[in-house]
Amino acid sequence: MRVKTAGLTALVTVPALLLATACTSEDDERPAKGEGRTTDAPTSASTDTGKGGGGGSGGDAGGDASVPLSGPQLERAALASGDLADFQVSTGKSALAPAGQPAADRPQCQPLADAMGDKPSPRAARTANRGLGSLKNLGLAVSASLSAYTEAEAGKLMSGLKSAVAACGEGFGASLDGRRGSYREVRTAAFTVSGADETVSWTTVGTNEGAVAPIHLVVVRKGATVARFMALDLARRTPPRVPREVADKQLAKVAQVLAG
């Protein structure tokens, strides 16, 4: 069954990954197979005290959650077809999705704009992207990414998001690839993820050229690993929420990879 996305794709100033998910949910009738693309970028260290602790041994991270996951580990830990019975999982991004990080019109809101780009922030060393479509709640599209940082950079990202949510309640504008949009009503949303060291969750309403779309975002840290989720209801029936089982399953897979 296909979900119409007319009017919403124009909204994306982006959530670039949300557009990728929308295109996947609308156009793909079967779960994608094989590995998604993992993107690499340089990273640097600062100071932070993550709670870490992955347990176990083996693998490049040696069971230590404070050590960044390697590319192969990141792909093994990312969500895949068969992980969630009620969701179709597609790997990688749609070729129609814009690439890069949106630029916010207010510096204090840049972390929120970054969270809607290719990666939760430009400091990610590696990122694996996934798109999920609900098989029970037709129209619910969720984009998920899993990124490797230094633990210090991961902690810095979370602190930046918390500050941005507090400072940008009235909203902000953002642009990417010449497209502009605005996000209003930035609100903290309660969300708990099993096994997480830190979680930041918020809702916002994206608007562009008459199109309006509520969005729910969740960013989770486990040591040096950051999972980011965005939810959009393409059917526009109910306010979207990232399903808790999706986030819990992602963190559980990270723990499995850390344990070797």
Side-chain angles (χ1 to χ4, degrees), residues 126-147:
R126 290 169 286 277
T127 294
N129 292 318
R130 298 293 187 264
L132 292 83
S134 175
L135 300 176
K136 293 181 67 176
N137 183 7
L138 297 181
L140 177 63
V142 180
S143 63
S145 71
L146 195 64
S147 298

Side-chain angles (χ1 to χ4, degrees), residues 4 7-8 14 36 40 42 46 60 85 124 129-130 133-134 139 164 166-167 169 178 198 213 221 226 234 239:
K4 299 299 181 182
L8 290 184
V14 249
D40 295 329
S46 59
D60 296 343
N129 292 318
R130 298 293 187 264
S134 175
E198 293 183 89
R221 182 179 72 83
V226 174
L234 302 177

Side-chain angles (χ1 to χ4, degrees), residues 8-120:
L8 290 184
T9 52
L11 175 65
V12 263
T13 309
V14 249
L17 285 181
L18 240 138
L19 175 59
T21 302
C23 292
T24 303
S25 299
E26 181 181 40
D27 298 331
D28 289 355
E29 298 298 331
R30 301 182 306 275
K33 296 181 180 180
E35 298 292 340
R37 177 176 298 176
T38 302
T39 57
D40 295 329
T43 188
S44 62
S46 59
T47 57
D48 181 64
T49 54
K51 298 178 183 178
S57 61
D60 296 343
D64 184 354
S66 68
V67 177
L69 295 180
S70 67
Q73 285 180 313
L74 206 62
E75 286 296 337
R76 291 201 303 273
L79 295 171
S81 296
D83 283 343
L84 294 155
D86 295 330
F87 291 87
Q88 171 181 307
V89 180
S90 299
T91 57
K93 287 176 54 176
S94 166
L96 299 176
Q101 302 298 119
D105 61 357
R106 299 172 59 196
Q108 62 267 45
C109 303
Q110 186 58 45
L112 302 182
D114 280 335
M116 296 181 183
D118 284 341
K119 313 161 190 175

Side-chain angles (χ1 to χ4, degrees), residues 192-251:
T192 302
V193 183
S194 178
D197 291 337
E198 293 183 89
T199 301
V200 182
S201 170
W202 71 99
T203 57
T204 185
V205 178
T207 61
N208 178 272
E209 297 180 356
V212 178
I215 305 167
H216 180 209
L217 298 98
V218 177
V219 180
V220 183
R221 182 179 72 83
K222 177 67 176 178
T225 305
V226 174
R228 182 267 316 278
F229 309 92
M230 284 191 288
L232 175 71
D233 182 8
L234 302 177
R236 310 191 205 189
R237 290 180 300 216
T238 59
R241 290 293 183 271
V242 173
R244 198 171 304 275
E245 63 265 33
V246 171
D248 283 347
K249 181 63 177 180
Q250 180 59 93
L251 264 288

